[in-house]
Amino acid sequence: MRTALRIALAASAALLTLGVAQAQEKTLRIGTEGAYPPFNNLTADGQLVGFDIDIAKALCDEMKVKCTFVAQDWDGIIPALQAGKFDAIVASMSITPERAEKVDFTNKYYNTPPAIAAPKDSDIKGVTKEDLAGKTIGVQASTTHFNYSTKVYTDSTIKPYPTAQEYQLDLANGRVDAVNDDITVLEGWLATPDGACCKLIGAITPDIEIHGPGAGIAVRKGDTELVNQFNNAIDAIRANGKYKEINDKYFKYDVYGGES
């Protein structure tokens, strides 16, 4: 009897250990675009890199889960989440009421303003509706920047693009007069040889109803547990210095923004 009991206890302990190991090895699938440097980008050898990627890895480490990444075109990224292709989106997605009808968001993990860039010889003086009247503005489709451009720049022609790289190419080649995107994306591009053609005109004061309070992590509707885990992890990496370490790798200023 004692031998049988010992065997039973040992088997139970082994199953418990296996269960703990399996819990620790839980894999979280992260969807991202891979075409929005310096936040997320695909390298020539197929590796996903950028601020979003490093933040996601740090959050997964804090949550003690394994992360894998899935590159997904921006236009289909929310439907892909809803279809179960991945568990969360970490792709510089602005928190907006329209998107919140389809997904649940964490708290923000950064908040930077939009801006306008144009060729160095441009006569554009500012970022108002009047400054850009009669101009063609390139902007990535299905973004808050596109929504803002179509609402505010009604005297301009708004030209949508699938990715940031495509509007950048057209701006460099004179096919649009200006572009609208996040200031950090534009500054990063302008600092490269490809962006040497152009200059930053200025930052746009964010419209909270359009731009939202910042970029958050999106999960499927009702996945409150995962939202809470991410929020706790965001707070933790902000407190322990990991966020600043990643921030300083990419930027010379704090992209988190205010505490609101």
Side-chain angles (χ1 to χ4, degrees):
M1 285 291 293
R2 289 179 181 176
T3 301
L5 180 59
R6 283 198 297 271
I7 293 172
L9 288 172
S12 297
L15 288 172
L16 180 60
T17 301
L18 179 61
V20 171
Q22 287 175 335
Q24 290 174 339
E25 292 171 0
K26 178 184 176 183
T27 297
L28 197 62
R29 297 165 300 164
I30 305 292
T32 195
E33 184 186 10
Y36 198 60
F39 292 102
N40 58 78
N41 196 35
L42 267 173
T43 63
D45 61 352
Q47 298 298 308
L48 281 162
V49 297
F51 178 80
D52 287 333
I53 310 306
D54 287 356
I55 288 291
K57 289 177 179 177
L59 295 176
C60 288
D61 286 345
E62 190 66 36
M63 294 158 59
K64 295 180 172 55
V65 296
K66 179 183 177 182
C67 269
T68 59
F69 292 89
V70 180
Q72 171 69 48
D73 289 345
W74 180 256
D75 285 352
I77 203 164
I78 286 180
L81 172 70
Q82 293 170 324
K85 186 173 179 180
F86 33 79
D87 305 301
I89 297 170
V90 185
S92 294
M93 181 172 283
S94 297
I95 303 164
T96 67
E98 180 184 5
R99 289 171 179 155
E101 293 177 0
K102 303 173 184 176
V103 300
D104 284 345
F105 279 105
T106 65
N107 299 333
K108 72 169 186 178
Y109 64 96
Y110 82 85
N111 187 19
T112 50
I116 296 289
K120 285 182 175 176
D121 61 356
S122 173
D123 61 355
I124 298 171
K125 304 299 182 185
V127 300
T128 67
K129 174 183 176 180
E130 293 73 24
D131 290 322
L132 288 153
K135 305 297 185 181
T136 298
I137 304 171
V139 61
Q140 186 175 4
S142 302
T143 64
T144 55
H145 308 297
F146 179 80
N147 294 341
Y148 180 87
S149 293
T150 53
K151 177 183 177 182
V152 174
Y153 299 126
T154 52
D155 294 332
S156 306
T157 299
I158 309 303
K159 188 174 181 180
Y161 290 85
T163 67
Q165 285 95 330
E166 288 167 276
Y167 76 61
Q168 291 165 1
L169 183 63
D170 270 11
L171 183 63
N173 287 292
R175 288 189 281 267
V176 295
D177 301 303
V179 295
N180 177 11
D181 207 333
D182 186 284
I183 192 169
T184 54
V185 172
L186 294 176
E187 286 180 335
W189 173 62
L190 294 171
T192 68
D194 288 341
C197 59
C198 304
K199 63 183 178 180
L200 193 72
I201 299 297
I204 297 168
T205 301
D207 181 330
I208 190 68
E209 292 184 2
I210 297 176
H211 296 108
I217 298 168
V219 304
R220 281 183 288 277
K221 271 290 185 183
D223 201 345
T224 306
E225 181 180 356
L226 187 54
V227 168
N228 292 337
Q229 288 176 335
F230 272 125
N231 282 337
N232 290 336
I234 291 169
D235 290 343
I237 67 170
R238 288 280 298 163
N240 65 22
K242 186 62 179 179
Y243 185 97
K244 185 178 187 305
E245 177 187 325
I246 297 169
N247 183 104
D248 294 351
K249 175 181 174 182
Y250 294 95
F251 311 110
K252 296 180 180 178
Y253 47 88
D254 183 7
V255 296
Y256 186 78
E259 293 300 326
S260 61

